[in-house]
Amino acid sequence: MDEKKVIFSGIQPSGDLTLGSYMGAIKNWVELSEDYNCYYCIVDMHAITVRQVPADLRRRTLEQLAQYIAAGIDPTKNTIFIQSHVPAHAELAWILNCYTMFGELSRMTQFKDKAAKNSDNINAGLFTYPALMAADILLYQADLVPVGDDQRQHVEITRDIANRFNGIYGDVFKLPEVYNPKVGARIMSLTSPENKMSKSDKDKGGCIYIMQSPDDIMRCFKRAVTDSDTWVHYDPENKKGVSNLMQIYAVATGKSFETIESEFTGRGYGDFKTAVGEAVVELLRPVREKASKLIADKAYLESVYKEGAERAAYAANKTLRKVYKKVGFVGK
Ligand code: AQP
């Protein structure tokens, strides 16, 4: 019997992966991957809640798989899979939709943000996104969900839905906890540090991408917004740009904010931005180099996602069968 605790997490292939996806999610997934039974998913079904170009979605799904492995997630020890390959996600999502309230969905900040950004396509899937995310997590009876800050509310609604369901039918679902990194849970745009760095951001200059060249990364950091004084000091209220750069530097180097402050005492922002850029280049270099090789090996990637889907479906269907029985469906 597998006694390890279970982790589920996923990322949408809705854009090229950013430094935010890496620091808020993937880096932590790697750290947890030895000690937990991990399911790491590429949530393509979530991605189509916003209109995607099909060829780009396909390309990014495979690139994302390569980047998970390149970042250090070992597919022989972890289950890496594509959401649409495991039908149980859609099946459980429908059921959970019937146990999710209109009012609670209306309070989701991601829905409000995305509805505002995509006012020509406020579709039902965008609204019920949290029910699909709850299905993702609950199918695997996950103990822990490592996500960045922006996804915390979705894990909380997952607990509410699970609690409601368990309240009616008994203990069907395990209640998952959020696992949030201490530093790096919210990496902000380099050009508008009041906004989160997002892979679907139209302002590409504010984002660093995992696959970006060192020269481009350095250029973006040199242009990063700071403020009118020259003090490298952590104050996320009043010094948003500098504090964001400090977070990035702290995650990339493992240094504390105090150490960073003293390292840059009396030095200008120019030096500081160069140091942050160089640290990020070195952090991402091995991932980019390995991912580039893996992307070229389609047969290997196919073997990983096929095996991942099989393993995931086995675990997911166990939960789904239980749910079907509980709600009163006649077994086949
Ligand atoms: N800027 C960020 N800082 C810290 N963590 C972040 N994450 C994303 N951006 C940052 C975390 O990475 C995972 C990505 O999840 P997702 O793709 O399912 O959803 P998202 O949060 O909507 O990510 P994006 O990049 O903002 O995508 P788009 O632009 O498509 O909406 C999550 O764990 C998230 O917290």
Side-chain angles (χ1 to χ4, degrees), residues 12 14 20 24 114 147-148 150-151 185 187 196-200:
Q12 309 175 68
S14 48
K114 291 218 163 159
V147 286
D150 58 320
Q151 292 295 334
I187 301 298
K196 191 186 78 144
M197 185 184 286
S198 260
K199 56 182 130 54
S200 60

Side-chain angles (χ1 to χ4, degrees), residues 67 87 140 142 168 193 205 250 267 270 308:
Q67 288 163 9
Y140 301 94
I168 304 170
R267 294 165 67 185

Side-chain angles (χ1 to χ4, degrees), residues 199-263:
K199 56 182 130 54
S200 60
D201 199 340
K202 303 266 182 302
D203 176 13
K204 302 289 174 205
C207 291
I208 299 294
Y209 299 94
I210 293 182
M211 299 304 282
Q212 214 167 357
S213 73
D215 283 353
D216 281 352
I217 293 178
M218 290 308 293
R219 233 189 318 276
C220 287
F221 276 103
K222 283 186 180 145
R223 286 203 214 110
V225 166
T226 47
D227 49 49
S228 53
D229 57 48
T230 52
W231 187 27
V232 175
H233 170 64
Y234 191 71
D235 177 354
E237 273 307 302
N238 303 304
K239 291 172 75 68
K240 288 194 165 60
V242 169
S243 301
N244 186 40
L245 292 172
M246 284 181 76
Q247 282 226 38
I248 294 172
Y249 193 57
V251 178
T253 60
K255 292 177 184 172
S256 68
F257 292 148
E258 294 73 38
T259 308
I260 298 170
E261 287 188 17
S262 47
E263 185 178 344

Side-chain angles (χ1 to χ4, degrees), residues 9-26 28-29 41 43 46-47 49-50 52 64 68 110 114 117 129 133 145-152 154 179-181 183-189 195-201 207 244 247:
S9 200
I11 298 181
Q12 309 175 68
S14 48
D16 297 324
L17 293 187
T18 69
L19 186 64
S21 338
Y22 185 73
M23 291 190 160
I26 299 175
N28 307 299
W29 296 3
C41 189
V43 289
H46 281 285
T49 55
V50 170
Q52 303 292 336
Q64 201 165 304
Y68 285 5
Q110 179 173 292
K114 291 218 163 159
K117 277 190 201 151
Y129 184 113
M133 181 157 161
V145 186
V147 286
D149 254 356
D150 58 320
Q151 292 295 334
R152 180 180 278 278
H154 284 162
Y179 176 91
N180 215 216
V183 188
R186 185 173 287 263
I187 301 298
M188 311 307 277
S189 156
N195 298 320
K196 191 186 78 144
M197 185 184 286
S198 260
K199 56 182 130 54
S200 60
D201 199 340
C207 291
N244 186 40
Q247 282 226 38

Side-chain angles (χ1 to χ4, degrees), residues 23-40:
M23 291 190 160
I26 299 175
K27 188 169 177 294
N28 307 299
W29 296 3
V30 177
E31 283 160 17
L32 297 163
S33 68
E34 289 292 323
D35 299 325
Y36 291 83
N37 177 15
C38 302
Y39 292 87
Y40 292 136

